[in-house]
Amino acid sequence: MKLLTIIGARPQFIKAAAVSRAIAKTPGLQEILVHTGQHFDANMSDVFFEEMDIPRPDHQLAIHSLSHGAMTGRMLEEIEKILMQERPDCVLVYGDTNSTLAGALAAKKLHLKVAHVEAGLRSFNLRMPEEVNRILTDRISDFLFCPTDAAVHNLDLEGFANFPCRIEQVGDVMQDAALFYLPKSEQQSAILDTLGLQKGEFFLATIHRAENTDDPLRLAQIVASLNRLAQESPVVFPVHPRTRARLAEQGLSASVRTLDPVGYLDMIQLIAGSRMVITDSGGLQKEAYFFQKYCLTLRPETEWIELVTHGFNRLSEPDPEQVMEAVHYFSRLSFPDASGLYGGGRASEAICNILSEAG
Ligand code: UDP
């Protein structure tokens, strides 16, 4: 089976690093890699290919810094050309970005099979561009690889049993990546020493969702919250390029340890060494759990609902009082020995077995 994988944004590089490794090991599977260029900075793209041994893309587009419609449209046009040239048996897409939707749509219109990794997730908030991308991608996918039972349940509720598709709960490929790269991160990353950080004595924060960065009031509250947290313990804040731009536009600056985005090996050390994670990232909510850290999510909802129901994650408004209350609540707890929510690191293998049997 000839697979064509479409990636373009940071979390997709991390997911594809795990799955591409499994594809290379599975007899009968061949992979062509397409990078749309949605994320293009050295520290948002190249670093992951280098550190994580992701194969060099066979096709490299440079489609970025456009509005949602323009970006998705350009990708659709360019991906279609590649698909007509490569004629894969199946197109593999990840997550919920414009690259995901454009890849799935281009493939389906050419009657090619589509496999969606991280299918079935829902925030039930259609104002999020990611939610639109996921719903549409799921609906036209042939293989829906769900990371959680909640994701399978969401598809059941939407009537997917009536559609000609295959739904499989395989676990989360991000756990595969976290487990695989932990030893490498321990050997190669010196970020805690470089920043002079003591294990367990700093907060790790990331913010990049448009609902937070593009709402001046919320962004100002987030900065105020980070500043309040910093009065208690150092706050390490690797800043996404969009967030950096919005902070500058609003004339805001957090008096915390701001960094440029870091590579995955450094990120693992920061998560595993932190006291707690404060984020609006999807991936980071789970990685906090993988490394047994409590997580405060500055959003009104989450797709990773099992983390909230099991008490590992709390949702909070960005208001400093609420943030401090939640942080103090978690500070009184010790993280239980738990790791079973996301399949235990065998998701990529499961995906490849299913695809190779189907091919
Ligand atoms: N990440 C990273 N460096 C950073 C910030 C995040 O390597 O400076 C990783 C993080 O550990 C996770 C992924 O990027 O694996 C999450 O990506 P992001 O938060 O951009 O997207 P989301 O998961 O919200 O879709």
Side-chain angles (χ1 to χ4, degrees):
M1 182 185 252
K2 182 175 177 182
L3 295 170
L4 187 141
T5 297
I6 294 170
I7 51 180
R10 175 168 67 187
Q12 293 167 333
F13 308 140
I14 292 160
K15 292 164 200 171
V19 180
S20 291
R21 177 170 298 99
I23 292 173
K25 282 199 205 142
T26 310
L29 294 185
Q30 181 208 342
E31 183 179 41
I32 302 287
L33 201 57
V34 179
H35 186 332
T36 62
Q38 187 172 342
H39 283 166
F40 56 93
D41 304 272
N43 56 23
M44 293 294 286
S45 175
D46 301 354
V47 64
F48 299 98
F49 285 82
E50 284 152 21
E51 283 185 352
M52 303 178 84
D53 299 317
I54 306 171
R56 277 175 68 88
D58 300 280
H59 300 270
Q60 178 95 45
L61 304 172
I63 304 172
H64 52 76
S65 315
L66 297 166
S67 67
H68 280 285
M71 191 193 292
T72 313
R74 289 264 338 262
M75 286 178 182
L76 195 53
E77 202 175 340
E78 296 305 316
I79 292 170
E80 182 180 63
K81 288 181 199 156
I82 297 171
L83 294 179
M84 285 165 69
Q85 181 193 333
E86 295 282 1
R87 282 278 151 199
D89 301 299
C90 182
V91 172
L92 194 57
V93 295
Y94 290 91
D96 53 25
T97 70
N98 292 337
S99 304
T100 316
L101 177 60
L105 197 50
K108 201 65 189 172
K109 291 282 181 95
L110 293 172
H111 304 155
L112 299 171
K113 290 213 178 311
V114 177
H116 185 201
V117 177
E118 230 180 52
L121 294 183
R122 297 289 182 267
S123 66
F124 303 100
N125 175 0
L126 273 167
R127 289 182 56 82
M128 288 177 71
E130 295 91 343
E131 182 77 350
V132 178
N133 291 339
R134 336 181 154 100
I135 291 175
L136 298 178
T137 302
D138 280 344
R139 184 61 186 84
I140 56 174
S141 290
D142 298 276
F143 297 93
L144 291 105
F145 293 120
C146 296
T148 58
D149 292 337
V152 175
H153 183 61
N154 289 337
L155 296 176
D156 284 346
L157 292 179
E158 290 176 23
F160 272 68
N162 301 314
F163 304 150
C165 60
R166 183 162 167 188
I167 298 172
E168 296 282 350
Q169 210 277 45
V170 291
D172 183 14
V173 299
M174 285 194 113
Q175 185 160 33
D176 305 12
L179 290 173
F180 184 85
Y181 291 101
L182 175 61
K184 201 172 177 187
S185 155
E186 276 164 356
Q187 281 160 17
Q188 295 186 13
S189 168
I191 191 147
L192 299 186
D193 286 345
T194 309
L195 296 176
L197 296 166
Q198 303 299 317
K199 278 193 180 162
E201 293 188 6
F202 62 93
F203 296 109
L204 175 65
T206 78
I207 291 294
H208 76 289
R209 296 246 97 78
E211 310 91 272
N212 281 331
T213 60
D214 296 6
D215 177 335
L217 185 63
R218 284 184 79 87
L219 192 60
Q221 284 189 313
I222 288 168
V223 169
S225 293
L226 297 182
N227 289 341
R228 275 284 290 280
L229 282 167
Q231 291 169 9
E232 220 166 88
S233 290
V235 176
V236 178
F237 181 25
V239 189
H240 188 284
R242 175 177 37 220
T243 313
R244 191 172 285 283
R246 297 295 178 272
L247 288 170
E249 280 163 27
Q250 297 297 323
L252 291 166
S253 71
S255 317
V256 302
R257 303 288 296 269
T258 54
L259 312 176
D260 283 334
V262 298
Y264 188 62
L265 301 183
D266 283 342
M267 198 60 184
I268 288 181
Q269 288 306 297
L270 288 175
I271 301 164
S274 71
R275 171 177 161 186
M276 204 178 292
V277 172
I278 293 102
T279 193
D280 61 7
S281 157
L284 219 57
Q285 292 176 56
K286 289 171 295 164
E287 288 164 344
Y289 167 78
F290 300 152
F291 296 108
Q292 311 208 315
K293 301 295 166 187
Y294 285 111
C295 179
L296 187 61
T297 301
L298 301 185
R299 288 179 51 195
E301 73 275 308
T302 179
E303 299 76 17
W304 306 101
I305 193 69
E306 55 288 327
L307 292 173
V308 175
T309 49
H310 285 81
F312 302 123
N313 187 346
R314 263 175 83 163
L315 304 176
S316 173
E317 285 301 308
D319 162 62
E321 297 303 321
Q322 284 191 43
V323 167
M324 294 317 291
E325 192 277 318
V327 163
H328 290 148
Y329 165 79
F330 278 143
S331 298
R332 290 191 291 272
L333 307 179
S334 57
F335 204 96
D337 191 14
S339 65
L341 291 177
Y342 294 100
R346 304 182 72 91
S348 307
E349 197 185 311
I351 289 169
C352 289
N353 288 341
I354 292 165
L355 290 174
S356 105
E357 280 162 24

